[in-house]
Amino acid sequence: MSRQLISSGSPFEAQVGYSRAVVQGDWCFVAGTTGTDPETKAMPESVVDQGRNALKVIGKALDDAGFSFADVVRVTYYITDPAYWDVMGDIAGPVFGDIRPAASCVIAGLVKPEMKIEIEVTAFKG
C-alpha cells in the first residue's frame, strides 16, 4: 500500500516535520489547519473567516490527494472560546451540511494567540 504526502507549502510543514495530508490506501488524513488566508498569508480577526480559510486549505489538500469534502467521514474542530460554537454553522454548514461527517469540538489553546480555530478531517474512499 503506497503512502502519498500532500504539502500546502506552509513553512511549518518542514520546520515541524509534518504533511498537510497523508494518503494511505483508501484513507486521507488532513492535519489540523488554522485560518491563515492561503493567498495573503494574513490571519483574519474573525473566527468565521479563519474557519472558512482553514476549509479552503483543507479542500485543496483533499483535491490534491484525489478526495473531496464528500469523502470526509470525521471532522474535529478546535476552538479557543466556547462562544465560537455559536457560529460553527456559518463556518461548517455550507461545507458539511449535507455530508454530515462524525464530528467533535474541543475547546483548546492553539499555538499562537491570534489563532481561534483549527480544523482536521479524515476522508475515506472505498
Side-chain angles (χ1 to χ4, degrees):
M1 188 178 330
S2 66
R3 177 181 172 110
Q4 179 185 6
L5 305 179
I6 306 295
S7 173
S8 65
S10 167
F12 298 119
E13 292 172 18
Q15 178 185 17
V16 179
Y18 74 95
S19 296
R20 174 63 45 215
V22 175
V23 177
Q24 188 78 39
D26 292 336
W27 293 92
C28 180
F29 303 90
V30 181
T33 305
T34 59
T36 302
D37 185 294
E39 284 85 39
T40 67
K41 307 302 181 203
M43 181 67 72
E45 178 65 28
S46 160
V47 67
V48 172
D49 291 339
Q50 286 188 27
R52 288 176 179 158
N53 286 342
L55 289 170
K56 281 182 202 171
V57 173
I58 289 168
K60 182 173 183 333
L62 287 168
D63 187 59
D64 289 350
F67 288 75
S68 73
F69 280 116
D71 300 311
V72 172
V73 295
R74 179 120 182 103
V75 59
T76 304
Y77 305 99
Y78 302 92
I79 55 178
T80 59
D81 185 328
Y84 296 154
W85 178 252
D86 295 337
V87 296
M88 287 306 296
D90 296 333
I91 297 167
V95 174
F96 294 120
D98 293 332
I99 300 164
R100 300 184 60 160
S104 298
C105 184
V106 178
I107 310 303
L110 298 178
V111 297
K112 295 189 181 218
E114 64 270 19
M115 295 174 175
K116 296 178 179 177
I117 188 168
E118 185 169 338
I119 304 169
E120 66 181 18
V121 304
T122 302
F124 178 76
K125 269 193 326 191

